[in-house]
Amino acid sequence: MKKRIVLVFIGLLAAAFLVIIIASFYFYDMAVARTSKDYLADNPDLQSSEVITVVDDPAEWVKEQPFKEIEKVSEDGLTLKAYYLEAPTPTDQTVIIAHGYSGKAKDMGRYARFYHETLSYNVLMPDARGHGESEGHYIGFGWHERKDYLMWIDHILETNGETSVISLHGVSMGASTVMMTSGETLPPQVKAIIADCGYTSAEDVLTYQLERMYNLPSFPIVPATSLLTKIRAGYSFSEASALEQVKKTSVPILFIHGEEDTFVPTDMVYELYEQTNSEKDILLVPYATHGEAYIVDMDQYEQKVSEFLSLYIE
């Protein structure tokens, strides 16, 4: 009898272990692998706010601009692409714009147009690894991308010269990417960072999404998927922490977040702001859901960004 109970117990453990393995591969493919993210289209947390009235199409503006396509090879051998637009008049000021999860560089036309036409900046928009025209079989949630951004910063210095003045501006995963970049050793030419609706860490946002989308607890799925990600992509979810990186930065950061953001909860921006030891400021936009701060209140957004940059860029 005891032997039978032991065998049943072992069988149940084996079955549970198998379920965890299957679940971790499923969530890896869903969240980390370079696959179609069609499930995001129906996510209620990504539905547009009712207060949005902007009807222009920045994609048309992008098509009309003489962007120069640039290719660079990452330190781990991926060919990455970016798109560069010279300012209307010669300037040392350049912004590097980081797009969000499952997006691509040319989705950021609205932000590029603001920097190009209003602030007269040069603009560089990279396709993150695993996105757009860049190579890569996985998404790094900003962690491996931070090293790619060091490469893009070096590219600006090499091509535009040591007098370059560089800002970083990211939205969603792009915001976490530039925050993770902020904790690295950066050249003095990097003067300011704009982080719009970024998450504290990959672990935090995936835990939140697992519970919100599937009503599942984080344990054991998130740790198991994180281990699989470490094996297959070379990083764990806890490593990919914007929160730990902003603790180390000396670069001023402007945090922006929509007050109605339920995809990357607004609570995360308060934690990031509190843990940042450099100069910092924060803009919370009423009624804005995820990634909508700019289009919900364009005037306030542009004014705040312009004023923040003017404090650190002559």
Side-chain angles (χ1 to χ4, degrees), residues 135-150:
E135 292 183 343
H137 298 296
Y138 66 85
I139 297 169
F141 282 89
W143 190 240
H144 285 185
E145 291 84 349
R146 83 194 193 284
K147 292 188 176 180
D148 300 334
Y149 270 71
L150 296 177

Side-chain angles (χ1 to χ4, degrees), residues 96 124 146-159 164 166-168 181 185-187 189-190:
I96 306 176
L124 181 68
R146 83 194 193 284
K147 292 188 176 180
D148 300 334
Y149 270 71
L150 296 177
M151 178 186 70
W152 292 121
I153 290 167
D154 287 342
H155 172 78
I156 293 298
L157 295 176
E158 290 166 4
T159 56
S164 294
I166 300 172
S167 305
L168 308 179
T181 305
T185 301
L186 297 176
Q189 290 89 346
V190 179

Side-chain angles (χ1 to χ4, degrees), residues 141 176 180 198-207 237-244 268 272:
F141 282 89
S176 292
M180 292 180 197
Y199 44 80
T200 48
S201 71
E203 183 175 49
D204 290 344
V205 75
L206 290 172
T207 294
F237 294 155
S238 60
E239 281 181 278
S241 175
L243 190 64
E244 292 304 313
M268 288 190 179
L272 287 161

